[in-house]
Amino acid sequence: MRLFAPPATTAVLLLLSSAFHVDSWSPSIARNNAGAGLLQRRSLLQQLSVGVLLQTGGSSAEAAADNGSPKKLTFQTLTDGVQLADIIEGTKSTETVQTDSKVTFHVLGRLLGKQGWVFMNTAEKDDDPYRFQMGSGIMIQGLEEGMVGMKVGGKRRIVIPSAVGYANKSLEPIPRDFGYRQRLYTTVMNSVRMDREREALGADLAGVVVMDVELVRLRK
């Protein structure tokens, strides 16, 4: 049987193995540098997550650049920290998502603080997109903000910080699969971990979600 490690996980192992050397290790050094080492690992993980998970649009033919390589994404950052980049620009309509639009979309959701673990995949799991009214208050704020301006047929990557993410379990989109819901909530609502990360890094990773959104339908 051939074993396969997801790209982000493989990159984590390579990065950590190359960044920390054991030739000068001793118990006293380990004790003295334990706190600094933890902070360094988390900082490296943050850089890795952004670099590997976010910067390429995937390996599909649609998202590939002219040379066949995954498209490199250019992110726009909103005032509240939401980041967005178009993987594919929609061409099926000239209309764009507004703050009061009715939207139908597929979404692939991943946890930045878990090296890209999937917690939602409507296209692959059940091929049943979500349907919501923008501006109704039922969706997480960062997703609504990130979808504004999309066109039908477009795909966009939206990076949502915890402050405008899953503040509670009633906010949509809610994973339909029980296991996915558990994976999401035990990560983004882990207050102990989030507080420690804020103290060490100035921001938490646990509460950050990355959503690849494909707009299927748009109504005013």
Side-chain angles (χ1 to χ4, degrees):
M1 179 182 295
R2 177 180 164 184
L3 298 179
F4 173 76
T9 303
T10 303
V12 169
L13 296 175
L14 290 173
L15 180 59
L16 294 183
S17 63
S18 62
F20 299 97
H21 302 284
V22 298
D23 53 348
S24 59
W25 182 90
S26 72
S28 60
I29 292 175
R31 286 193 298 269
N32 293 337
N33 293 332
L38 177 60
L39 176 58
Q40 187 178 19
R41 285 179 176 85
R42 286 176 173 170
S43 297
L44 286 169
L45 178 57
Q46 185 177 37
Q47 295 172 28
L48 170 75
S49 299
V50 173
V52 175
L53 178 60
L54 307 183
Q55 294 300 324
T56 59
S59 57
S60 68
E62 293 178 300
D66 293 338
N67 61 3
S69 301
K71 176 182 177 181
K72 291 188 177 180
L73 304 180
T74 301
F75 281 85
Q76 171 189 353
T77 302
L78 306 183
T79 55
D80 57 10
V82 173
Q83 299 179 64
L84 56 96
D86 286 320
I87 301 172
I88 299 173
E89 294 188 10
T91 58
K92 296 181 180 180
S93 173
T94 58
E95 295 184 343
T96 61
V97 173
Q98 304 298 315
T99 56
D100 59 349
S101 299
K102 295 178 180 179
V103 292
T104 301
F105 60 92
H106 279 297
V107 58
L108 167 63
R110 290 173 290 178
L111 299 166
L112 189 66
K114 286 288 189 179
Q115 298 86 56
W117 284 10
V118 173
F119 68 87
M120 179 186 301
N121 191 344
T122 57
E124 182 178 287
K125 192 72 175 177
D126 51 21
D127 197 26
D128 185 13
Y130 287 103
R131 301 165 182 84
F132 296 120
Q133 169 75 56
M134 297 275 285
S136 62
I138 64 173
M139 289 172 60
I140 58 176
Q141 180 182 336
L143 179 58
E144 285 203 358
E145 294 176 0
M147 290 185 66
V148 171
M150 289 188 70
K151 296 179 181 179
V152 173
K155 295 182 180 180
R156 178 174 290 181
R157 181 159 299 166
I158 306 171
V159 185
I160 304 169
S162 58
V164 287
Y166 284 98
N168 59 67
K169 295 182 180 180
S170 67
L171 291 173
E172 297 282 1
I174 298 171
R176 298 176 178 128
D177 178 84
F178 175 77
Y180 277 172
R181 286 197 301 275
Q182 290 295 98
R183 176 178 290 183
L184 170 65
Y185 295 139
T186 56
T187 303
V188 301
M189 295 183 181
N190 185 338
S191 59
V192 174
R193 175 181 168 180
M194 292 167 70
D195 288 344
R196 287 175 178 171
E197 288 177 344
R198 290 190 186 106
E199 182 178 354
L201 301 174
D204 69 86
L205 299 181
V208 180
V209 295
V210 182
M211 292 186 166
D212 288 356
V213 177
E214 178 184 1
L215 187 63
V216 177
R217 187 178 180 187
L218 170 63
R219 291 178 294 164
K220 299 298 184 181

